[in-house]
Amino acid sequence: MKKTVKTLVAAGLMVAAASSMFAAKKKAPAKKLITVGYAQVGAESDWRLANTTSFKETFTEANGYKLIFDDAQQKQENQIKAIRSFIQQDVDYIVVAPVVETGWGTVLQEAKAAGIPVILSDRQMTGVDDLYLCWVGGNFLQEGRDGVKWLEGYLKKIGRDKDEINIVDLQGTIGASAQIGRTQGIEEGIAAHKNWKLVAQQTGEFTQSKGQEVMESILKSTPKIDVVFAENDNMAWGAIDAIKAAGKKPGKDIIIICFDAVHETFNKMIAGEINCAVECNPLHGPRVDEIIKTLEAKGPKGIKSKIQYVVEEVFDQENAAAKLPTRKY
Ligand code: AHR
């Protein structure tokens, strides 16, 4: 690693203990903080806010860190600027949750030239495998497939598995891993069912307001909609408002499936307005902390796996009330 905080903790403690016997008021030397620059996507969703909180609560001085946090407002150019500023500030580690997957080669080369290790969290980057150490996050393709699997089972249960099913896909930010994986899972599911039809597919940019706006226009142009896949919670909440304004009942007239599963989505499942939520876990602060502590102690060889998926669940109206009290975000 470029800079390690490998202080001789044990030896230091022994010296401190011995000297305290003779000079009780002598202070132990201050431990050097590890400086981490976090290039965050933005504040577009409740998931994202929970992710930011997770980093801010983990990367504290008490835990041995100085955190430099940057909110890129969903713009890749802002994240590139933030990474360059972290390099100038000579941080110990750079952590990036990339807005989109492509276009990172130049700036990651600059980080490499400066000898600063890069860790990815949440979304992934493509074509730069040799320029980052490891990634931790959700399996977005699996999430899409899980949503499809849930729909198959639900349609069978309510006796509609042979009906023609018209599906809307409200996509996330185009080019983001969370959009690419979920869209692929949904499209695969539609292709595998002769009676399922994709009647509209448009980005709602992972925000509630855009999700509502896009759903309002789709409702005007598409007479029969049976299912909405919203590629995150906030877009589902926006779509629900649009569906209600159009005089239809979300969760009943139109089946709603979304991704993230934050508290408010559990409330909406309990209220009958969302049918299924596929979890995307945002609590990556402690996971990145563990990676950095491993690097500090053992170097890059200590990292067992470059790609680290987190375990995620599927929730619906049957288990939402029982699960809600156990949920952390
Ligand atoms: O990358 C994770 C996605 O980004 C979450 O599903 C979404 O809510 C967020 O904005």
Side-chain angles (χ1 to χ4, degrees), residues 6 24 26 36 40 53 60 62 93-94 131 135 148 159 161 185-186 211 213-214 235 242 244 249 264 266 286:
K6 278 181 204 151
K26 248 190 180 172
V36 173
Q40 174 62 294
T53 302
T60 60
Y93 294 91
I94 292 173
L131 297 177
W135 167 89
V148 163
D161 53 323
I186 293 162
E213 186 191 312
V214 169
M235 291 192 295
K244 283 182 183 168
K249 288 197 179 78
E264 183 53 19
F266 276 80

Side-chain angles (χ1 to χ4, degrees), residues 25-36:
K25 282 191 178 161
K26 248 190 180 172
K27 277 189 190 164
K31 215 174 153 190
K32 186 187 170 289
L33 297 175
I34 299 171
T35 305
V36 173

Side-chain angles (χ1 to χ4, degrees), residues 100-259:
V100 290
E101 289 194 347
T102 55
W104 299 101
T106 307
V107 74
L108 288 206
Q109 281 290 359
E110 292 168 25
K112 190 180 178 182
I116 302 175
V118 174
I119 297 163
L120 306 186
S121 167
D122 169 29
R123 301 176 187 173
Q124 300 199 22
M125 294 180 184
T126 52
V128 287
D129 282 5
D130 52 333
L131 297 177
Y132 69 89
L133 275 176
C134 65
W135 167 89
V136 62
N139 186 333
F140 302 118
L141 174 57
Q142 189 56 48
E143 291 170 9
R145 288 174 175 162
D146 287 346
V148 163
K149 196 169 165 211
W150 180 89
L151 180 61
E152 271 173 358
Y154 184 67
L155 291 175
K156 202 162 195 179
K157 192 170 129 191
I158 61 173
R160 292 190 61 196
D161 53 323
K162 302 279 181 296
D163 292 359
E164 182 179 291
I165 301 294
N166 285 357
I167 296 174
V168 168
D169 177 18
L170 294 179
Q171 296 173 291
T173 305
I174 299 300
S177 306
Q179 175 273 315
I180 294 170
R182 290 168 189 166
T183 297
Q184 187 186 329
I186 293 162
E187 286 178 348
E188 279 177 5
I190 292 169
H193 295 81
K194 273 192 242 134
N195 56 326
W196 292 13
K197 197 168 149 207
L198 184 63
V199 290
Q201 186 177 48
Q202 206 176 317
T203 181
E205 287 161 16
F206 283 132
T207 70
Q208 183 163 349
S209 56
K210 190 77 183 170
Q212 178 170 354
E213 186 191 312
V214 169
M215 192 65 209
E216 276 166 6
S217 100
I218 292 173
L219 280 158
K220 280 182 197 142
S221 59
T222 316
K224 180 180 175 285
I225 298 170
D226 301 291
V227 177
V228 172
F229 277 100
E231 291 185 12
N232 84 343
D233 280 358
N234 290 72
M235 291 192 295
W237 308 342
I240 285 170
D241 290 341
I243 291 167
K244 283 182 183 168
K248 293 189 174 169
K249 288 197 179 78
K252 293 189 178 66
D253 300 331
I254 299 179
I255 296 165
I256 313 279
I257 300 163
C258 60
F259 301 85

Side-chain angles (χ1 to χ4, degrees), residues 31-34 56-67 289 293:
K31 215 174 153 190
K32 186 187 170 289
L33 297 175
I34 299 171
K56 288 188 174 170
E57 284 180 356
T58 304
F59 289 88
T60 60
E61 288 200 7
N63 195 21
Y65 292 104
K66 179 180 170 211
L67 177 69
D289 171 37
K293 297 235 164 92

